[in-house]
Amino acid sequence: MGDTAGRVTRRRLRTRANLLDAAFSVFAAKGFGHVSIEEICEAAGYTRGAFYSNFDGLDELFFALYAERAELIAEQVSGALALDGPDLDVTAAVDRVADVLLLDRDWLLVKTDFLVHAARDPEVARCLLEHRARLRRAIADRLARARGHTRLPAVLGDAEGAAHAVVAAYDGVTTRLLLDRDVAGARAWLKQLLTALLTG
């Protein structure tokens, strides 16, 4: 019985992961609000029954998708900032963070859809604000613990203020990226902007 239950659980987790992957592609191509459950099932190769055994509807799937990707990016940013040890080489850290944040234009399309969705739904907005706060805390914590290389410009205040500036810069640069599709240009501009912000 235990082996059977384990196989069922693994199969269900695989089905859920495949549905999320398919949904990511479909949402990036067509946008949330323009996608049906049937389209996601078709892209994943599953029935509606498989969909409803994992999600109550598109809203729940969309939030699960956003939460999964947002968690991954928060971990990547934290990891990129941790590589210098106790000292922080701002230029090298900015390069690594910019590379993590700007690799996937499809993610930015889905993220933007989620932002618009959250603006109309207070509960979704609360979850999005929690994610953004977590990302800022990871950046602020790393800046606050850094020794040696890092002396933040006075205009930013403390590490928390610097973290807000980093996230705001990212938001602005990615808006441009969505419009001009120039990933290399956006990455270069973000690196310049963050380096200037954090070193004065």
Side-chain angles (χ1 to χ4, degrees):
M1 288 289 289
D3 287 345
T4 301
R7 284 196 299 273
V8 170
T9 300
R10 285 193 298 273
R11 186 166 60 244
R12 179 166 184 170
L13 288 173
R14 190 166 54 247
T15 299
R16 181 181 174 87
N18 290 341
L19 284 165
L20 287 170
D21 286 345
F24 180 80
S25 298
V26 177
F27 284 139
K30 301 185 76 171
F32 183 74
H34 301 282
V35 174
S36 67
I37 290 171
E38 288 77 10
E39 286 174 292
I40 292 170
C41 291
E42 182 179 347
Y46 292 114
T47 64
R48 285 175 63 93
F51 179 94
Y52 283 113
S53 71
N54 287 278
F55 304 103
D56 290 337
L58 286 176
D59 278 358
E60 184 184 349
L61 179 144
F62 193 53
F63 179 75
L65 176 64
Y66 181 86
E68 176 186 79
R69 301 290 170 129
E71 181 73 14
L72 174 63
I73 286 177
E75 289 174 3
Q76 289 174 328
V77 169
S78 297
L81 290 171
L83 290 177
D84 289 316
D87 291 328
L88 182 64
D89 181 334
V90 170
T91 302
V94 164
D95 283 350
R96 291 193 302 269
V97 169
D99 286 342
V100 169
L101 289 175
L102 287 176
L103 287 177
D104 189 356
R105 186 174 179 273
D106 283 348
W107 157 249
L108 297 176
L109 287 167
V110 173
K111 176 174 146 321
T112 301
D113 271 349
F114 194 81
L115 174 63
V116 172
H117 184 53
R120 294 187 172 94
D121 186 322
E123 182 61 22
V124 178
R126 181 186 61 77
C127 295
L128 180 57
L129 287 170
E130 285 176 4
H131 160 67
R132 289 171 67 85
R134 180 175 176 269
L135 189 58
R136 284 196 308 271
R137 281 194 303 271
I139 296 168
D141 180 62
R142 184 65 187 99
L143 292 173
R145 287 187 292 108
R147 298 196 305 265
H149 291 84
T150 304
R151 186 177 184 89
L152 296 173
V155 70
L156 296 178
D158 56 10
E160 182 70 22
H164 274 275
V166 167
V167 174
Y170 170 67
D171 287 343
V173 169
T174 54
T175 298
R176 171 177 146 177
L177 170 61
L178 284 170
L179 298 175
D180 68 14
R181 299 172 180 255
D182 181 3
V183 176
R187 183 179 289 116
W189 177 234
L190 184 63
K191 288 178 182 180
Q192 293 172 16
L193 189 56
L194 292 183
T195 301
L197 275 171
L198 295 177
T199 65

PDB file of all heavy atoms in Angstrom, residues 69 71-81 96-97 100-101 103:
ATOM      1  N   ARG A  69       7.504  30.594  -9.209  1.00  0.00           N
ATOM      2  CA  ARG A  69       8.561  31.326  -9.907  1.00  0.00           C
ATOM      3  C   ARG A  69       9.138  32.433  -9.031  1.00  0.00           C
ATOM      4  O   ARG A  69      10.349  32.674  -9.038  1.00  0.00           O
ATOM      5  CB  ARG A  69       8.015  31.916 -11.210  1.00  0.00           C
ATOM      6  CG  ARG A  69       7.471  30.893 -12.173  1.00  0.00           C
ATOM      7  CD  ARG A  69       8.569  30.041 -12.781  1.00  0.00           C
ATOM      8  NE  ARG A  69       8.036  28.925 -13.527  1.00  0.00           N
ATOM      9  CZ  ARG A  69       8.382  28.614 -14.763  1.00  0.00           C
ATOM     10  NH1 ARG A  69       9.286  29.320 -15.400  1.00  0.00           N
ATOM     11  NH2 ARG A  69       7.851  27.564 -15.362  1.00  0.00           N
ATOM     12  N   GLU A  71       9.337  32.509  -5.777  1.00  0.00           N
ATOM     13  CA  GLU A  71      10.181  31.878  -4.756  1.00  0.00           C
ATOM     14  C   GLU A  71      11.547  31.520  -5.344  1.00  0.00           C
ATOM     15  O   GLU A  71      12.588  31.742  -4.716  1.00  0.00           O
ATOM     16  CB  GLU A  71       9.491  30.627  -4.228  1.00  0.00           C
ATOM     17  CG  GLU A  71      10.261  29.884  -3.147  1.00  0.00           C
ATOM     18  CD  GLU A  71      10.257  30.597  -1.816  1.00  0.00           C
ATOM     19  OE1 GLU A  71       9.450  31.526  -1.633  1.00  0.00           O
ATOM     20  OE2 GLU A  71      11.075  30.234  -0.953  1.00  0.00           O
ATOM     21  N   LEU A  72      11.546  30.980  -6.546  1.00  0.00           N
ATOM     22  CA  LEU A  72      12.797  30.616  -7.204  1.00  0.00           C
ATOM     23  C   LEU A  72      13.680  31.843  -7.412  1.00  0.00           C
ATOM     24  O   LEU A  72      14.891  31.814  -7.140  1.00  0.00           O
ATOM     25  CB  LEU A  72      12.502  29.941  -8.549  1.00  0.00           C
ATOM     26  CG  LEU A  72      13.713  29.628  -9.426  1.00  0.00           C
ATOM     27  CD1 LEU A  72      14.641  28.638  -8.740  1.00  0.00           C
ATOM     28  CD2 LEU A  72      13.258  29.093 -10.781  1.00  0.00           C
ATOM     29  N   ILE A  73      13.093  32.939  -7.870  1.00  0.00           N
ATOM     30  CA  ILE A  73      13.875  34.151  -8.128  1.00  0.00           C
ATOM     31  C   ILE A  73      14.404  34.740  -6.824  1.00  0.00           C
ATOM     32  O   ILE A  73      15.556  35.187  -6.756  1.00  0.00           O
ATOM     33  CB  ILE A  73      13.033  35.164  -8.918  1.00  0.00           C
ATOM     34  CG1 ILE A  73      12.925  34.679 -10.367  1.00  0.00           C
ATOM     35  CG2 ILE A  73      13.649  36.555  -8.865  1.00  0.00           C
ATOM     36  CD1 ILE A  73      12.082  35.534 -11.248  1.00  0.00           C
ATOM     37  N   ALA A  74      13.594  34.723  -5.760  1.00  0.00           N
ATOM     38  CA  ALA A  74      14.074  35.219  -4.466  1.00  0.00           C
ATOM     39  C   ALA A  74      15.274  34.409  -3.989  1.00  0.00           C
ATOM     40  O   ALA A  74      16.250  34.955  -3.470  1.00  0.00           O
ATOM     41  CB  ALA A  74      12.947  35.166  -3.438  1.00  0.00           C
ATOM     42  N   GLU A  75      15.224  33.098  -4.186  1.00  0.00           N
ATOM     43  CA  GLU A  75      16.343  32.240  -3.796  1.00  0.00           C
ATOM     44  C   GLU A  75      17.578  32.530  -4.655  1.00  0.00           C
ATOM     45  O   GLU A  75      18.705  32.555  -4.154  1.00  0.00           O
ATOM     46  CB  GLU A  75      15.951  30.767  -3.936  1.00  0.00           C
ATOM     47  CG  GLU A  75      14.960  30.304  -2.889  1.00  0.00           C
ATOM     48  CD  GLU A  75      14.474  28.884  -3.146  1.00  0.00           C
ATOM     49  OE1 GLU A  75      14.957  28.244  -4.107  1.00  0.00           O
ATOM     50  OE2 GLU A  75      13.618  28.420  -2.374  1.00  0.00           O
ATOM     51  N   GLN A  76      17.367  32.754  -5.946  1.00  0.00           N
ATOM     52  CA  GLN A  76      18.491  33.041  -6.838  1.00  0.00           C
ATOM     53  C   GLN A  76      19.162  34.364  -6.465  1.00  0.00           C
ATOM     54  O   GLN A  76      20.392  34.470  -6.466  1.00  0.00           O
ATOM     55  CB  GLN A  76      18.012  33.074  -8.292  1.00  0.00           C
ATOM     56  CG  GLN A  76      17.649  31.703  -8.837  1.00  0.00           C
ATOM     57  CD  GLN A  76      17.035  31.791 -10.225  1.00  0.00           C
ATOM     58  OE1 GLN A  76      16.361  32.764 -10.559  1.00  0.00           O
ATOM     59  NE2 GLN A  76      17.243  30.773 -11.031  1.00  0.00           N
ATOM     60  N   VAL A  77      18.353  35.366  -6.144  1.00  0.00           N
ATOM     61  CA  VAL A  77      18.905  36.663  -5.756  1.00  0.00           C
ATOM     62  C   VAL A  77      19.689  36.528  -4.456  1.00  0.00           C
ATOM     63  O   VAL A  77      20.816  37.032  -4.328  1.00  0.00           O
ATOM     64  CB  VAL A  77      17.788  37.719  -5.610  1.00  0.00           C
ATOM     65  CG1 VAL A  77      18.320  38.989  -4.952  1.00  0.00           C
ATOM     66  CG2 VAL A  77      17.205  38.049  -6.980  1.00  0.00           C
ATOM     67  N   SER A  78      19.109  35.836  -3.480  1.00  0.00           N
ATOM     68  CA  SER A  78      19.803  35.633  -2.204  1.00  0.00           C
ATOM     69  C   SER A  78      21.120  34.898  -2.430  1.00  0.00           C
ATOM     70  O   SER A  78      22.148  35.240  -1.844  1.00  0.00           O
ATOM     71  CB  SER A  78      18.921  34.833  -1.239  1.00  0.00           C
ATOM     72  OG  SER A  78      17.749  35.547  -0.931  1.00  0.00           O
ATOM     73  N   GLY A  79      21.087  33.869  -3.292  1.00  0.00           N
ATOM     74  CA  GLY A  79      22.299  33.114  -3.582  1.00  0.00           C
ATOM     75  C   GLY A  79      23.354  33.962  -4.270  1.00  0.00           C
ATOM     76  O   GLY A  79      24.542  33.886  -3.947  1.00  0.00           O
ATOM     77  N   ALA A  80      22.929  34.803  -5.214  1.00  0.00           N
ATOM     78  CA  ALA A  80      23.872  35.664  -5.928  1.00  0.00           C
ATOM     79  C   ALA A  80      24.538  36.654  -4.979  1.00  0.00           C
ATOM     80  O   ALA A  80      25.727  36.953  -5.108  1.00  0.00           O
ATOM     81  CB  ALA A  80      23.152  36.407  -7.051  1.00  0.00           C
ATOM     82  N   LEU A  81      23.779  37.136  -4.003  1.00  0.00           N
ATOM     83  CA  LEU A  81      24.328  38.107  -3.055  1.00  0.00           C
ATOM     84  C   LEU A  81      25.216  37.454  -2.002  1.00  0.00           C
ATOM     85  O   LEU A  81      26.015  38.131  -1.360  1.00  0.00           O
ATOM     86  CB  LEU A  81      23.187  38.867  -2.369  1.00  0.00           C
ATOM     87  CG  LEU A  81      22.407  39.842  -3.249  1.00  0.00           C
ATOM     88  CD1 LEU A  81      21.184  40.362  -2.523  1.00  0.00           C
ATOM     89  CD2 LEU A  81      23.307  41.000  -3.669  1.00  0.00           C
ATOM     90  N   ARG A  96      25.865  39.612 -11.000  1.00  0.00           N
ATOM     91  CA  ARG A  96      25.194  38.321 -10.774  1.00  0.00           C
ATOM     92  C   ARG A  96      23.693  38.503 -10.609  1.00  0.00           C
ATOM     93  O   ARG A  96      22.890  37.744 -11.158  1.00  0.00           O
ATOM     94  CB  ARG A  96      25.786  37.630  -9.544  1.00  0.00           C
ATOM     95  CG  ARG A  96      27.212  37.145  -9.739  1.00  0.00           C
ATOM     96  CD  ARG A  96      27.632  36.202  -8.628  1.00  0.00           C
ATOM     97  NE  ARG A  96      27.538  36.816  -7.312  1.00  0.00           N
ATOM     98  CZ  ARG A  96      28.536  37.474  -6.721  1.00  0.00           C
ATOM     99  NH1 ARG A  96      29.690  37.627  -7.341  1.00  0.00           N
ATOM    100  NH2 ARG A  96      28.381  37.985  -5.515  1.00  0.00           N
ATOM    101  N   VAL A  97      23.281  39.513  -9.844  1.00  0.00           N
ATOM    102  CA  VAL A  97      21.849  39.741  -9.620  1.00  0.00           C
ATOM    103  C   VAL A  97      21.158  40.112 -10.929  1.00  0.00           C
ATOM    104  O   VAL A  97      20.065  39.620 -11.233  1.00  0.00           O
ATOM    105  CB  VAL A  97      21.633  40.827  -8.543  1.00  0.00           C
ATOM    106  CG1 VAL A  97      20.176  41.259  -8.494  1.00  0.00           C
ATOM    107  CG2 VAL A  97      22.061  40.302  -7.172  1.00  0.00           C
ATOM    108  N   VAL A 100      20.506  37.098 -13.006  1.00  0.00           N
ATOM    109  CA  VAL A 100      19.399  36.280 -12.485  1.00  0.00           C
ATOM    110  C   VAL A 100      18.057  36.919 -12.828  1.00  0.00           C
ATOM    111  O   VAL A 100      17.127  36.250 -13.278  1.00  0.00           O
ATOM    112  CB  VAL A 100      19.529  36.113 -10.955  1.00  0.00           C
ATOM    113  CG1 VAL A 100      18.256  35.507 -10.369  1.00  0.00           C
ATOM    114  CG2 VAL A 100      20.712  35.212 -10.614  1.00  0.00           C
ATOM    115  N   LEU A 101      17.946  38.215 -12.650  1.00  0.00           N
ATOM    116  CA  LEU A 101      16.646  38.875 -12.779  1.00  0.00           C
ATOM    117  C   LEU A 101      16.184  39.059 -14.222  1.00  0.00           C
ATOM    118  O   LEU A 101      15.009  39.191 -14.466  1.00  0.00           O
ATOM    119  CB  LEU A 101      16.697  40.255 -12.106  1.00  0.00           C
ATOM    120  CG  LEU A 101      16.755  40.242 -10.586  1.00  0.00           C
ATOM    121  CD1 LEU A 101      16.924  41.661 -10.059  1.00  0.00           C
ATOM    122  CD2 LEU A 101      15.493  39.624  -9.996  1.00  0.00           C
ATOM    123  N   LEU A 103      16.833  37.068 -17.130  1.00  0.00           N
ATOM    124  CA  LEU A 103      17.047  35.966 -18.059  1.00  0.00           C
ATOM    125  C   LEU A 103      15.796  35.583 -18.849  1.00  0.00           C
ATOM    126  O   LEU A 103      15.907  34.992 -19.904  1.00  0.00           O
ATOM    127  CB  LEU A 103      17.553  34.727 -17.295  1.00  0.00           C
ATOM    128  CG  LEU A 103      18.997  34.796 -16.806  1.00  0.00           C
ATOM    129  CD1 LEU A 103      19.339  33.553 -16.010  1.00  0.00           C
ATOM    130  CD2 LEU A 103      19.952  34.952 -17.985  1.00  0.00           C
TER     131      LEU A 103
END
